[in-house]
Amino acid sequence: MRIVVIGAGVLGVTTAWYLARDGHAVTVVDRDPMPGQQTSYANGGLLHASHAEPWNAPGVIWQLLRWIGREDSPLLLRPGQIPRLTGWGLGFLRNSSRHRFERNTSVNAALAVHSLQLLRQLRRDTGIRYDDGQNGILKVFHETAALDKARHASKLMAPLGVRHSVLDARQTVALEPSLGEAEDQLTGGIYYPDDESGDAHLFTQRLATLAAAEGVTFRYGVDVRGLRREGGRITCVETDAGDMEADGFVIAAGNDSKRLAAAHGIRLPIYPVKGYSVTLPLAGWSNPPTIPLIDDARKVVVTVLGDRIRLAGTAEFAGYDTSLQTRRADTVLRQAAGLYPSLGEHAAQHTPEYWTGLRPMTVDGPPVLGPSPLSNLFLNTGPGHLGWTFACGCSRVVADVINGETPAIGLDGLGLQRFQRW
Ligand SMILES: Cc1cc2nc3c(=O)[nH]c(=O)nc-3n(C[C@H](O)[C@H](O)[C@H](O)COP(=O)(O)OP(=O)(O)OC[C@H]3O[C@@H](n4cnc5c(N)ncnc54)[C@H](O)[C@@H]3O)c2cc1C
């Protein structure tokens, strides 16, 4: 089949890779001059099946209300956005019941575990490297209640293949000595040995090069304005460089997926949740971490990527605004320096690279994968805070659906059918 994939982020490029390997003639179109320039550019770098919980955990409403309008908080709801959030926001809150949260966590965890298996296979098949690390991930906790909650969530995910060990504060520091100065503030940690890390941007670029060698055509600098439809099918994508016809079409357009789909009555409940990252050279930091770290209370992750250190975090409900506010980026740095006091000093000696991106987040947490009401239009979008973790899994599922095969993991909880029947 001739297939057009809209979007050369990590989801679009992995989709193109699998489809080309399955024998399709694939064209990827992106408005940017090269792959991975939007949300896949400088994310936290974590491949974390362990962190598969959607963000609408029971009680999230109280956190949001507590931090409303507070510029220095890790979770920020801008008052001006409240009217725009009503539809999505109510859905987000509706999905924060314990039952739905636990079900969506299981859906996400199964997809994440599958995805990491595929990523390992891809590394074996192609030798692709992307400042990757296989040291697991360590989550740290400052309160017994939070540790107990995470222990419970980890128990739920264990049968899906997410192994973990619970550590007290002393054991946490023994595993990760760079936390020595923070031992007093820690209640304990949970170590997930099968999680990984890596630079999503490097991966996307390198996989695009490998995909091009497999015959994929990349059309960069081309803006997709819409999709033309005849009856129950799409016939072409309309772009500023002319129409592109194909037999099948995949929307993997990150935060623009919603607009492209909406024109054909497909309602994608996705909202762009803004986050920040800070990247610094590693050299010169006397006591850097060796294991990627998540501190959920501080809403920050810390990852070593080759010779760089990446800090990421904050969640801001601010619409499609991608402007970079130094104060918000500084919050990420400050939260991380709370754990590694020498980091503040290290950062002061360098010029940190600040970045901001929009996580395309669904109301319930899992992405939207597979078929749509239009017979030859497929969806690979809405991966939220887990798009790097999910990339290979999402794209393999979508390629299987296009091939008319049954994906290794079921579409229940992942398809558009959970929001819209046809
Ligand atoms: C601060 C932060 C930290 C994160 N940390 C992690 C992490 O540690 N682990 C993890 O798993 N995930 C993380 N994520 C989430 C992850 O980065 C995203 O889920 C993922 O990058 C989304 O990929 P995507 O391909 O769907 O979207 P994108 O990367 O945004 O790609 C979409 C592409 O479509 C193109 N496009 C859109 N519309 C059009 C159009 N009309 N015409 C042409 N081209 C178009 C865009 O130019 C873009 O290249 C983080 C996100 C943020 C913001």
Side-chain angles (χ1 to χ4, degrees), residues 14-165:
T14 43
T15 308
W17 167 259
Y18 286 121
L19 287 172
R21 295 284 278 210
D22 293 344
H24 298 286
V26 185
T27 301
V28 180
V29 53
D30 200 294
R31 55 162 77 111
D32 282 335
M34 57 187 86
Q37 296 301 292
Q38 297 302 314
T39 313
S40 307
Y41 186 72
N43 68 22
L46 300 185
L47 293 143
H48 41 14
S50 64
H51 209 50
E53 297 100 321
W55 277 6
N56 32 5
V60 69
I61 177 91
W62 304 117
Q63 269 190 329
L64 276 169
L65 291 177
R66 184 150 47 101
W67 283 325
I68 218 164
R70 268 188 48 189
E71 289 291 334
D72 60 343
S73 68
L75 197 68
L76 173 63
L77 173 56
R78 290 195 184 279
Q81 276 299 310
I82 293 174
R84 289 197 196 106
L85 261 169
T86 44
W88 186 91
L90 288 175
F92 184 76
L93 295 180
R94 205 168 38 249
N95 279 288
S96 67
S97 71
R98 178 150 306 284
H99 170 71
R100 288 187 186 208
F101 172 73
E102 289 188 353
R103 191 193 56 197
N104 290 325
T105 299
S106 299
V107 170
N108 272 354
L111 177 61
V113 168
H114 179 52
S115 195
L116 286 179
Q117 285 161 354
L118 288 165
L119 180 63
R120 288 181 199 114
Q121 186 64 48
L122 185 63
R123 271 204 309 270
R124 284 193 291 273
D125 291 348
T126 63
I128 189 170
R129 303 312 297 260
Y130 40 91
D131 281 345
D132 49 303
Q134 285 79 38
N135 292 342
I137 285 179
L138 177 64
K139 281 191 197 176
V140 294
F141 301 91
H142 306 268
E143 288 173 9
T144 310
L147 177 58
D148 287 346
K149 222 158 112 185
R151 191 201 309 252
H152 174 69
S154 300
K155 263 194 198 152
L156 289 179
M157 288 192 278
L160 298 166
V162 185
R163 293 188 298 151
H164 68 280
S165 24

Side-chain angles (χ1 to χ4, degrees), residues 6-14 30 32 34-46 130 198-206 252-255 275 277 279 305 308 310 355-360 380 383-392 395:
I6 306 170
V10 70
L11 293 198
V13 171
T14 43
D30 200 294
D32 282 335
M34 57 187 86
Q37 296 301 292
Q38 297 302 314
T39 313
S40 307
Y41 186 72
N43 68 22
L46 300 185
Y130 40 91
D199 184 335
H201 175 239
L202 207 52
F203 173 86
T204 307
Q205 291 217 316
R206 291 187 174 164
N255 291 293
S277 75
T279 308
L305 298 170
R308 296 161 298 150
R310 168 84 40 86
W355 171 83
T356 181
L358 303 174
R359 308 170 180 94
N380 190 0
H385 68 294
L386 287 155
W388 174 209
T389 307
F390 284 160
C392 291
S395 301

Side-chain angles (χ1 to χ4, degrees), residues 150-222:
R151 191 201 309 252
H152 174 69
S154 300
K155 263 194 198 152
L156 289 179
M157 288 192 278
L160 298 166
V162 185
R163 293 188 298 151
H164 68 280
S165 24
V166 180
L167 313 169
D168 62 23
R170 198 184 44 78
Q171 290 165 325
T172 303
V173 174
L175 181 70
E176 180 50 78
S178 68
L179 288 170
E181 286 181 85
E183 182 169 347
D184 288 352
Q185 8 162 334
L186 298 180
T187 308
I190 304 185
Y191 178 58
Y192 302 89
D194 302 320
D195 278 351
E196 301 194 1
S197 57
D199 184 335
H201 175 239
L202 207 52
F203 173 86
T204 307
Q205 291 217 316
R206 291 187 174 164
L207 191 64
T209 304
L210 292 171
E214 290 282 324
V216 175
T217 303
F218 285 90
R219 300 276 313 270
Y220 295 119
V222 174

Side-chain angles (χ1 to χ4, degrees), residues 250-319:
V250 180
I251 297 183
N255 291 293
D256 204 26
S257 303
K258 183 174 174 166
R259 180 187 68 82
L260 291 169
H264 298 282
I266 301 169
R267 196 181 61 83
L268 294 176
I270 292 174
Y271 184 87
V273 182
K274 190 171 181 176
Y276 280 82
S277 75
V278 178
T279 308
L280 290 157
L282 188 59
W285 188 9
S286 53
N287 190 23
T290 51
I291 301 174
L293 177 131
I294 299 176
D295 184 337
D296 218 12
R298 292 179 184 273
K299 297 263 176 283
V300 71
V301 306
V302 180
T303 323
V304 171
L305 298 170
D307 58 2
R308 296 161 298 150
I309 185 106
R310 168 84 40 86
L311 322 169
T314 80
E316 192 175 321
F317 294 84

